[in-house]
Each structure stands twice: as structure tokens, then as C-alpha cells.
Amino acid sequence: MKQLTVAITFFLLLLAGVLPAFAQQKTVTGRITDANGDPVPSVNVTVKGTNTGTTTNSNGAYSIEVPSGSNTLVISSVGFQAKEVAISGRSTINVDLAGDVKELSNVVVTALGIKRQARALAYSVTEVKGESMTQARENSVINSLEGRVAGVNVTKIASGPGASTRVVIRGAKTLTSGNNQPLYVIDGIPIDNSNFGQAGVWGGADRGDGMNSINPDDIESITVLKGAAAAALYGARAANGVINIITKSGSKSKGLGIEVNSNYVLERFNNLLDLQKTHGEGYYASPDPALSTRVSRTAQSIDDYWLNNLGANGWGPIYDGSNSVQFDGVSRPYKYAGDNVSKFLENGYTLTNTLALTGGDETTNFRFSASELNNKAIIPNSGFDRFNASLALNSKFGKRISLFAKVLYSNERVKNRPRISDSPGNAIQSLLRLPGNVNVLDLIGDPNKPGAVPSLEMQQAQGIQIYDKKAPGEEFQRNNDLWTQNPYWAAYQFINSDVRDRIIPSAHLRYDITDFLFIQGQAGMDWYTRRATELTPQGTGYQRGGAASEGEDRVREVNL
């Protein structure tokens, strides 16, 4: 009997200790979602300081037994920031997880806007974030890729504002067509990057390309797809690779988000030319009279200057400081006149101002931006202005239907694209052919019409004697070479300008059939009109009557 009493007593004491322990355990349930409110499966839910844990199901739901003395849950998952949540006596705890930026940086957008892990792709891909496009701005955003992506050769053409850019990925693919540039895609929609003209052997102008339309402040990221498989969905146009541009979208936020960006870039000409500074205008005098009938000398009168065309070359006598008659009949010291290139060129700048508004909730959000770029080139009377506006809208209809829509608009105005190469009207070429004793500032002529012969009254006031050689208002030429223009006449009287209006709308509709299966459709259009005006002014040396032309190009491409 005594042994039975002891056993019963021991059992009762054991039961008294176990029951409180069971009574102190607590079941906590809840649901894990992402920033958009969608369920997140396979999330690890553990009790801090213990080995107790569980994972969420396909609907993001979980249930866990919390031991006594524990008051914190640890929520973690790949691609999301880990979070610790205090229990504080609650039995239901729902948690929203924020995305992990470091993890998501490995996710890239491939063809047709589909996101993939970079390590899962069977081809080479490199992503550049949009923030790096705005640090040292270029008029063309593609120029900012220079030196950022291995295997991508970016050539910036020194041909004035609004110039084109040549991009070659992993070397030229063909030696015959000459076009080895990649396909450009914006938000999953291929766009036109045609060049409307380049300088040839006998001159011309660079008329720019399509990438001058894009505002760097609107870019989220640029992905360069290098392999042949990367371009499979875009066909033969992408044989040279793809540059895939993703623009910014709206996001869930409390209140209205306002973003203001202002950027100023100063441009100055860095003169690395090493021109001779010992001989002025005139011809080389050979010691053998049979090789040269001209002597190395300066002009004694304006008739002597123009009759012997002494200003056509820069290998006259060595500078001695004596007076010599120049192209306009004015006698000036025969000495080096200074750096004419730096005198002619000006300081340039690019000013960009952008305003962006963002807002929205769990079902609908938006982003609107407006930007103005003003560029003044280092070549006088030349520049590039651009206005951009964009609107991005994301909406969800229930749990299965999503709509993404974007509209990009640009208005580009290029003023006087400079002529380049061996070209009449090339102001820089004229400067390089200017003898060292001639000051380029003396070629301004009529200040009301730079580069033109001054009026008779102005000539008499300045002592100029050109009135019996050239008529007022015509080109103020320096010698008998009609194909080498007065640089001020080329810059201020020639016209080579164009205006382009462009709109790129796109829409993406997706229906989630299940958690792992969806169907989507995408439509987009690239449409623009370009109007160009060219003028060779009346009175130009090689074409006295002048010439004018106007043209309009209309381009539209629709992709479904």
C-alpha cells in the first residue's frame, strides 16, 4: 500500500509539471505576402533562439507552435529582406516582406519583357543601372555605355550636337553590309534607330540617330544581350545583339512622390593641335627657279594679294613683324596672330531639368515625368534641345489580371548640324587652313551678318578696300579658293537644322491562370516625323545663287 501511495504521488507531481508546460505552448498562424500583397510560398518561419520552424504553403500561410518563454518569430526567404516580429501574445500574425535589392540585382529583363535570373541564362548578359546614365550626362544615352560593358565598343562621333553613335557588340559580324549595330528595344518593343545621313568622302553632315530621343532620367536599367540565343525572339534584326532598355514605372507609396533632377555640364575645347608658328601666308619658294615661279613674299597691295592668291597657303616668309596687306586691303603686322581655333570656338553647355511624380496603392500606381534639355555647342550658332514626357501606369484587376502601359514622347530640335569631312561649308576645316598671321576675328565682316562683306559705309569706316572685289552681303572670302568658306559664314549663314516629334506607346496585359502558368499579350508602336531644312545662302563663293531644300520623313513601326 505504501509503495502504491508513493507511485501515485510521483505520477501526480510529474503531471503537475507537464501540464503547465503544455499549457504555456502557443499556436501562431498567419500569412506572408510581398510588397504588392501577393502570397509568398516557401518562406522560412522560425522561433528565435530555438530549433522550431516551418514554411509557408502556396498561399503564403503558415502555422507554428511557439514554446514558452519565446516571443519572436524570424521570417526569411531568398530574394526578400529577413524580418523579426514580436509575438506579444498574438495568435495571428500577418507579415509583409520587402524585396532584397542585392538579390534582385541578379534578375534581368530578357526578350518581350520576361524576367529571368542572370545565372539561369544560357547566354552572356550585362546590366547597367539607370543611375549611372545620369552622372556624367551625354545628349545620347547610349554614349554612357562606353567602358561599362565588356565586349561592347561604343564610338562617339565628333560631329556636333545630336550626333549619332556607333555600337558594335563582340566585333563586326559582316564586312559587306557595314551595319553591325544591335537592335534597340524599349520596354519590350523594338524601335527604329535609323541614321538619316553621314558625311562621305566629299563631305556632308551627321544627321543623328534614334537614340537621341531617350531621356536618361526615365531609364531604370539597360541590359546588353550578347549571345545569338538572346535575340531568338526578335529574329534576324537582332543578329548583332540586343540593347534592351527598361524605363521606370510607378510603385506603391504613401502620398505623392516628387523627384526633381537638375544637371549642368560645361564643355570647353582642349586644343592639342601643334601647328607651325614661324611662317605666314604665301608660297614656298624653291631655290630652283624651274620648280617654282613664285617667290616667298608678302602682298604689297590688295590687287597684288588677290592677283597672286598669296593667302591660299601658309608657307610664306618667316615672320619679321613688318606690315603686309591682307585679304581686305588692310595692312597688318606680319606676325603670328594667335590660336584661331580657340578664338572661334565657344564654351558649350548642357542644362537638363527633370520633374517626376509617382504615387499609387496596392492595385494601381503611376509615374509621370517631364524633362527639358538645352544644349549649346562649342561651334557658334549650333545646339540641340529636347523635351521629353513619359507616363507609366500599372493596374491590377482582381488577383489574376495585370495591365502595364507606358507612353514616351520626345520633341528634338537640332540647330545647324555642322558640316564635316572634306566639305564646303566646313567651318573647322576653314580654320585649319587659315595662315597663322591672319586673325580669324578679322573675318567676321558685317557684325549684323557674320561672315558677310560689310556695307560700303562700314568698309570705309574700317579702312577696308574689298568693295571693288566683293559685293556687300556676299561671303567675305579670304582668297580665291571658292570651296573654303569663311568660318563665320559657314556657322551663321548656312542652315542645316531638323525637328523630330516621336511617340513610343506600349501596353502589356497578363492573365495568371495558376501560380506558375500565365498568358500575356504585348503591343507597341514607334512613330515619328522628322522635318529637315538645308540652306546654302545666296552669295556663297562656290554657289552664288544659293540653294535650299526641305524634306520630311515619316516612320511608323507596330509590333504585336
Side-chain angles (χ1 to χ4, degrees):
M1 186 68 180
K2 184 177 179 179
Q3 292 179 345
L4 180 59
T5 303
V6 172
I8 293 173
T9 302
F10 177 77
F11 177 76
L12 291 175
L13 291 173
L14 181 62
L15 186 62
V18 173
L19 286 177
F22 276 102
Q24 290 175 14
Q25 279 190 337
K26 185 176 184 177
T27 301
V28 176
T29 60
R31 192 166 180 263
I32 309 300
T33 57
D34 60 17
N36 296 320
D38 296 327
V40 183
S42 303
V43 177
N44 296 317
V45 182
T46 60
V47 179
K48 187 175 182 180
T50 72
N51 293 325
T52 303
T54 186
T55 58
T56 59
N57 60 20
S58 60
N59 293 321
Y62 72 93
S63 176
I64 188 170
E65 298 293 334
V66 180
S68 62
S70 299
N71 191 45
T72 303
L73 296 180
V74 179
I75 317 295
S76 63
S77 180
V78 176
F80 295 90
Q81 297 178 8
K83 180 180 288 189
E84 294 186 0
V85 181
I87 299 175
S88 302
R90 294 177 293 172
S91 59
T92 301
I93 300 177
N94 297 322
V95 179
D96 292 332
L97 290 182
D100 189 339
V101 176
K102 294 182 180 179
E103 292 292 339
L104 289 178
S105 63
N106 294 324
V107 177
V108 296
V109 179
T110 61
L112 301 181
I114 299 175
K115 293 183 179 181
R116 289 287 184 269
Q117 290 284 339
R119 62 176 178 267
L121 299 178
Y123 48 83
S124 177
V125 58
T126 304
E127 184 182 48
V128 179
K129 292 298 183 183
E131 291 82 356
S132 60
M133 303 288 106
T134 61
Q135 294 171 355
R137 288 177 184 261
E138 301 271 0
N139 289 346
S140 176
V141 68
I142 295 302
N143 288 337
S144 300
L145 287 179
E146 183 180 16
R148 298 181 184 274
V149 182
V152 177
N153 182 24
V154 180
T155 304
K156 297 186 292 184
I157 303 174
S159 50
S164 58
T165 302
R166 179 174 173 81
V167 178
V168 177
I169 300 177
R170 288 183 169 176
K173 306 299 188 298
T174 175
L175 299 178
T176 56
S177 68
N179 182 18
N180 288 283
Q181 297 209 63
L183 173 68
Y184 291 89
V185 179
I186 297 181
D187 297 322
I189 302 299
I191 69 166
D192 181 77
N193 191 44
S194 298
N195 185 292
F196 283 94
Q198 274 289 356
V201 176
W202 306 112
D206 179 359
R207 292 176 172 81
D209 57 24
M211 295 315 297
N212 284 302
S213 304
I214 309 304
N215 175 26
D217 288 316
D218 286 337
I219 294 179
E220 179 70 29
S221 65
I222 296 180
T223 304
V224 181
L225 312 179
K226 303 176 185 177
L233 289 178
Y234 294 116
R237 295 174 61 186
N240 299 316
V242 175
I243 293 182
N244 193 20
I245 299 175
I246 303 300
T247 60
K248 294 180 180 179
S249 300
S251 60
K252 176 185 175 181
S253 63
K254 294 182 179 180
L256 183 66
I258 301 177
E259 177 184 347
V260 178
N261 291 322
S262 186
N263 186 276
Y264 182 84
V265 178
L266 178 66
E267 301 176 50
R268 295 190 63 184
F269 173 69
N270 186 19
N271 192 353
L272 301 178
L273 297 172
D274 186 18
L275 306 178
Q276 64 88 10
K277 301 179 179 63
T278 57
H279 293 259
E281 57 189 352
Y283 289 91
Y284 171 71
S286 171
D288 185 354
L291 299 178
S292 176
T293 59
R294 301 182 185 275
V295 295
S296 178
R297 63 179 180 83
T298 58
Q300 302 302 311
S301 66
I302 189 171
D303 291 327
D304 181 22
Y305 181 97
W306 284 94
L307 179 63
N308 293 286
N309 201 19
L310 294 175
N313 289 280
W315 292 105
I318 295 177
Y319 294 136
D320 58 9
S322 61
N323 286 333
S324 65
V325 177
Q326 293 190 358
F327 66 98
D328 54 2
V330 178
S331 181
R332 299 183 178 92
Y334 184 67
K335 63 180 183 179
Y336 180 61
D339 181 6
N340 281 322
V341 177
S342 296
K343 290 178 184 178
F344 177 78
L345 298 180
E346 302 173 344
N347 289 337
Y349 67 84
T350 302
L351 175 63
T352 308
N353 293 301
T354 301
L355 172 66
L357 305 176
T358 57
D361 52 25
E362 293 82 357
T363 59
T364 302
N365 56 67
F366 74 94
R367 180 181 186 272
F368 171 78
S369 74
S371 178
E372 181 75 25
L373 179 148
N374 301 112
N375 167 264
K376 177 183 177 297
I378 61 174
I379 297 178
N381 198 39
S382 182
F384 174 72
D385 294 330
R386 182 181 67 213
F387 172 76
N388 290 91
S390 68
L391 177 63
L393 181 67
N394 298 338
S395 296
K396 288 188 175 182
F397 305 93
K399 294 183 178 181
R400 296 189 179 276
I401 301 178
S402 302
L403 173 65
F404 307 92
K406 292 182 179 180
V407 178
L408 306 178
Y409 169 76
S410 68
N411 173 264
E412 307 150 55
R413 303 173 299 280
V414 183
K415 180 180 181 181
N416 285 345
R417 296 183 184 270
R419 297 195 181 192
I420 54 179
S421 187
D422 184 10
S423 173
N426 185 340
I428 304 301
Q429 180 195 66
S430 299
L431 288 173
L432 296 179
R433 299 183 67 175
L434 198 63
N437 66 301
V438 178
N439 190 333
V440 68
L441 299 179
D442 294 328
L443 292 169
I444 293 178
D446 187 347
N448 299 316
K449 188 180 180 181
V453 176
S455 64
L456 295 179
E457 293 78 11
M458 193 176 297
Q459 292 185 42
Q460 294 171 356
Q462 298 177 8
I464 297 176
Q465 303 175 32
I466 197 73
Y467 44 81
D468 60 344
K469 306 295 180 183
K470 305 291 180 183
E474 291 188 338
E475 180 185 355
F476 197 19
Q477 291 183 268
R478 185 184 55 79
N479 56 49
N480 291 328
D481 181 5
L482 302 181
W483 301 98
T484 301
Q485 265 56 68
N486 180 311
Y488 289 100
W489 182 266
Y492 286 94
Q493 307 311 323
F494 277 75
I495 295 177
N496 186 12
S497 302
D498 54 80
V499 178
R500 176 162 57 180
D501 287 289
R502 188 173 200 168
I503 184 170
I504 306 175
S506 61
H508 181 151
L509 184 64
R510 168 170 167 165
Y511 179 76
D512 294 318
I513 301 174
T514 66
D515 292 338
F516 61 89
L517 182 65
F518 65 87
I519 183 172
Q520 69 178 14
Q522 185 165 304
M525 179 178 69
D526 180 17
W527 177 90
Y528 63 85
T529 299
R530 178 182 179 273
R531 298 173 297 280
T533 301
E534 294 188 41
L535 172 69
T536 300
Q538 185 178 8
T540 299
Y542 69 87
Q543 194 169 7
R544 293 292 181 186
S549 67
E550 291 190 344
E552 181 172 289
D553 297 281
R554 297 182 180 182
V555 176
R556 184 177 65 178
E557 177 178 338
V558 178
N559 283 275
L560 302 174

